Amino acid sequence: MPEAAIAALRREIWHQLELTLEYIAAKYKLVPKKRQREQEHQNSGQILGYSVSYGDLDFLHAEIFSFYAKIQEQNLDEAEARQLEAIMRSSRSIMNATKNFYDLLQEIEDIGNDDNPFMIKAYNGFKERLADLKTLVEKTAKNHEDPALAEVLEQFFARVEDADKAFISACSKAVAQGRIREQEVTRLLMANRFFTQSNRMLVFSMQGIDKAYKQALASHSGKA
């Protein structure tokens, strides 16, 4: 039945999101110290712990698309087609955000290696914001059928926007006070722009999956 297949796909997107944040957390060194030590041991030939690669995520996304294509071949009604498209938009947003975080990593690491205290503070701020996102994903993925999820995501999105505005304001004050040079503020603002966009995409993806789930509930109630 299309309904069961769409529900399975929706669950797989939540799994994709969990693996994505595990990957990003590892790349940005947000993993627990125990996991870091396990990954370091891997370099000596020992197979300890588990690490998600970009290739794993790319392969998973391809499998998800293949499953999506098979569902499309079924006899979908209009409501099911809308749910399916919303779910796949979420999957694409997750993959786009992953690429952005991957491309941005070296720039953020360079910011953290700077001697300027403001640059170091900015670097730590990026990691704190990412850690908050990881915590959100871990909680929502385990409770993705929570009726209050939409409100939780809306509140977190507001935090993403507030963090963006606070960062821009802090940069403006720092350059006005001569604590950072104009070239440095340009780097910071560009990094923050892509970082914030990636955060937004991941929140949008969760909102899209949640909306599709609620549409499925409403559609099922209408058929009952």
Side-chain angles (χ1 to χ4, degrees):
M1 292 178 61
E3 184 179 332
I6 292 171
L9 182 62
R10 188 172 60 242
R11 288 192 296 271
E12 192 60 19
I13 305 303
W14 279 113
H15 182 56
Q16 177 192 13
L17 190 58
E18 284 186 290
L19 291 179
T20 293
L21 266 294
E22 182 177 338
Y23 167 77
I24 294 170
K27 296 298 289 185
Y28 281 78
K29 299 178 181 176
L30 298 181
V31 293
K33 289 183 179 180
K34 179 178 182 294
R35 177 66 62 81
Q36 288 185 33
R37 288 196 299 270
E38 290 173 345
Q39 291 175 350
E40 287 169 1
H41 280 305
Q42 289 179 6
N43 296 330
S44 63
Q46 299 181 47
I47 303 175
L48 299 172
Y50 175 69
S51 180
V52 180
S53 71
Y54 189 88
D56 292 333
L57 297 175
D58 200 30
F59 181 75
L60 177 59
H61 184 252
E63 284 193 320
I64 287 170
F65 186 84
S66 178
F67 187 41
Y68 155 77
K70 290 177 182 177
I71 298 174
Q72 278 192 316
E73 294 176 356
Q74 300 184 38
N75 187 24
L76 303 177
D77 61 30
E78 187 176 342
E80 289 168 339
R82 285 199 304 269
Q83 293 166 34
L84 187 61
E85 290 306 313
I87 291 168
M88 282 309 299
R89 279 197 300 273
S90 293
S91 181
R92 288 192 294 269
S93 291
I94 292 168
M95 206 61 206
N96 287 337
T98 305
K99 186 178 187 306
N100 282 353
F101 277 123
Y102 177 84
D103 292 342
L104 192 56
L105 176 60
Q106 190 55 57
E107 180 66 21
I108 289 183
E109 287 301 313
D110 288 345
I111 289 170
N113 290 328
D114 201 288
D115 293 331
N116 187 308
F118 186 84
M119 300 285 278
I120 296 172
K121 183 178 180 181
Y123 169 78
N124 289 331
F126 283 130
K127 295 187 73 169
E128 288 169 6
R129 288 155 69 182
L130 195 51
D132 285 345
L133 179 63
K134 182 175 183 290
T135 299
L136 173 73
V137 169
E138 289 172 343
K139 289 180 178 179
T140 54
K142 291 179 175 61
N143 302 284
H144 56 82
E145 295 183 356
D146 185 350
L149 182 55
E151 183 179 352
V152 171
L153 294 175
E154 188 175 334
Q155 291 173 353
F156 189 86
F157 186 81
R159 288 172 58 189
V160 170
E161 296 301 293
D162 288 344
D164 177 47
K165 293 173 185 175
F167 187 89
I168 294 171
S169 177
C171 287
S172 178
K173 291 177 182 177
V175 75
Q177 295 168 359
R179 289 187 286 146
I180 53 175
R181 299 186 301 273
E182 291 183 3
Q183 300 94 315
E184 291 171 329
V185 79
T186 299
R187 287 180 63 201
L188 288 168
L189 292 175
M190 287 300 295
N192 178 67
R193 177 187 173 192
F194 285 111
F195 188 91
T196 300
Q197 285 178 348
S198 299
N199 272 270
R200 286 173 182 150
M201 277 193 281
L202 290 177
V203 177
F204 285 151
S205 70
M206 288 183 273
Q207 290 176 323
I209 310 171
D210 180 57
K211 184 177 180 181
Y213 170 65
K214 289 183 170 60
Q215 287 174 340
L217 287 181
S219 178
H220 183 72
S221 297
K223 293 176 182 178

